[in-house]
């Protein structure tokens, strides 16, 4: 497992500095922290954290959260899982709900309960017929009967999420149904297949091999880059040759199960969000309206404040952000909406009456 310093180095190098168009330097990260906190940190301080020569005190929570915010805003940390893994590596406690809200500005899907999955507001200018059909993510559990106990456990964990509809034969099949036909239909309709693999299933001849082959064939029909197959190993075993190109996860040993589940939820979340975008009726929605639906909640709030004539400083004060962070969001808004400058953004907000669709 990587140390806090190693993860800090990794995420810093993944950040892009809009000023210099390259990865954030240690000095630049210190400057950005200073803008968040009002206290300047040197590149030497960041270097010492990365090398493990000094450690942020566990009571200095404000510094830790500010560090996560900068790493997230500039593209290093992309998920709640990554943020908590970094904290765990430094023996710090995980983010609580308030800290999640502050770090990500909107609660990531992996941290929400099922009640928050539906849209609370309609996308601007999008008719009811053109909106996303909110439904659960369909996940098929392909497995060997010999692995049924652990598959049941996995099914229960997925089902408990509220936004996932896992398919398990003993839960879904009704008496009198043609089980082979129903399984084939379920695999065809599913959004994701979790291939449950063990030293029992990969060496066993029979129907489970047929299921794996069917899932692979369907996967070949999917666009490149789509998360459709997730190989999940229950113990040490060799993957079938055709699965070689897919990144697998290990649901063992016991103390790694929760971390593996978090990663699986992140993959499922990615797939779910891509489906939500794809299910928009793009022909009936103008391109700029579709772009608005892709803005984060925080970006919409910033756009609303700008439309009210507020300066970056006033927006920052209203949303408890730094001016630099507000400017970063503004650049993202302009890019997503394909606009040129701040005036264009204000005009867009007024023309589309976004105030009636979002609230602060």
């Amino acid at each position: 497992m990587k140390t806090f310093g190693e993860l800090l180095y990794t995420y810093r190098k993944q950040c892009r500095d809009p000023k210099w168009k390259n990865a954030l330097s240690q000095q630049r990260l210190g400057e950005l922290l200073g803008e968040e906190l009002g206290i300047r940190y040197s590149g030497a301080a960041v270097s010492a954290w990365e090398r493990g020569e000094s450690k942020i005190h566990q009571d200095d929570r404000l510094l830790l959260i500010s560090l996560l915010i900068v790493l997230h805003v500039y593209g290093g940390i992309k998920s709640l899982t990554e943020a908590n893994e970094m904290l765990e590596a430094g023996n710090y406690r995980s983010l609580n709900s308030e800290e999640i809200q502050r770090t990500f500005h909107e609660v990531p899907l992996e941290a929400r309960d099922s009640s928050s999955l539906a849209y609370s507001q309609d996308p601007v200018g999008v008719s009811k017929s053109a909106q996303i059909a909110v439904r659960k993510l369909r996940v098929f559990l392909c497995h060997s009967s010999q692995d049924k106990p652990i598959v049941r456990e996995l099914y229960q964990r997925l089902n408990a999420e509220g936004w996932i509809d896992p398919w398990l034969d003993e839960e879904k099949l009704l008496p009198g149904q043609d089980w082979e036909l129903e399984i084939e239909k379920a695999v065809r309709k599913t959004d994701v297949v979790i291939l449950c693999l063990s030293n029992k299933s990969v060496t066993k001849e029979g129907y489970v091999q047929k299921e794996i082959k069917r899932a692979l064939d369907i996967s070949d029909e999917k666009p490149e880059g789509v998360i459709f197959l997730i190989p999940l190993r229950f113990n040490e075993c060799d993957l079938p040759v055709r699965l070689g190109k897919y990144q697998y996860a290990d649901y063992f040993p016991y103390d790694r199960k929760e971390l593996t589940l978090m990663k699986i939820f992140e993959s499922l979340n990615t797939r779910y969000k891509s489906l939500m975008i794809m299910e928009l009726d793009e022909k009936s929605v103008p391109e700029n309206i579709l772009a608005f639906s892709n803005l984060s909640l925080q970006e919409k709030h910033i756009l609303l404040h700008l439309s009210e004539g507020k300066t970056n400083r006033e927006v920052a004060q209203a949303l408890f952000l730094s001016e630099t962070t507000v400017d970063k969001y503004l650049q993202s808004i302009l890019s997503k909406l394909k606009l040129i400058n701040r005036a264009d953004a204000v005009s867009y907000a007024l023309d589309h009456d976004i105030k009636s669709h979002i609230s602060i």
Side-chain angles (χ1 to χ4, degrees), residues 179-181 183-184 205-212 214:
W179 61 269
E180 187 168 356
L181 176 61
I183 288 175
E184 183 172 352
E205 295 183 2
Y207 194 76
V208 66
Q209 300 299 331
K210 187 176 181 179
E211 278 188 13
I212 293 175
R214 181 185 294 118

Side-chain angles (χ1 to χ4, degrees), residues 129-130 274 276-287 290 294:
S129 62
S274 71
M276 291 171 75
I277 294 171
M278 289 169 60
E279 288 180 8
L280 282 170
D281 181 3
E282 296 188 9
K283 292 183 180 179
S284 63
V285 185
E287 183 179 355
L290 281 173
N294 288 330

Side-chain angles (χ1 to χ4, degrees), residues 4-12 49-50 67 71 86:
F4 177 88
E6 289 171 337
L7 289 173
L8 173 57
Y9 172 83
T10 298
Y11 293 136
R12 175 177 64 80
W49 296 336
E50 291 182 348
L67 181 59
L71 293 175
M86 182 170 162

Side-chain angles (χ1 to χ4, degrees), residues 206-254:
Y207 194 76
V208 66
Q209 300 299 331
K210 187 176 181 179
E211 278 188 13
I212 293 175
K213 182 179 182 301
R214 181 185 294 118
L216 282 163
D217 290 342
I218 295 174
S219 178
D220 290 340
E221 301 171 6
K222 302 293 181 182
E224 186 175 351
V226 166
I227 295 177
F228 179 71
L229 292 181
I230 301 178
L232 181 63
R233 301 197 311 170
F234 290 159
N235 50 42
E236 289 289 349
C237 61
D238 294 327
L239 269 64
V241 175
R242 284 183 66 189
L243 288 177
K245 68 177 182 178
Y246 297 99
Q247 179 62 48
Y248 63 85
D250 284 341
Y251 200 53
F252 70 95
Y254 181 82

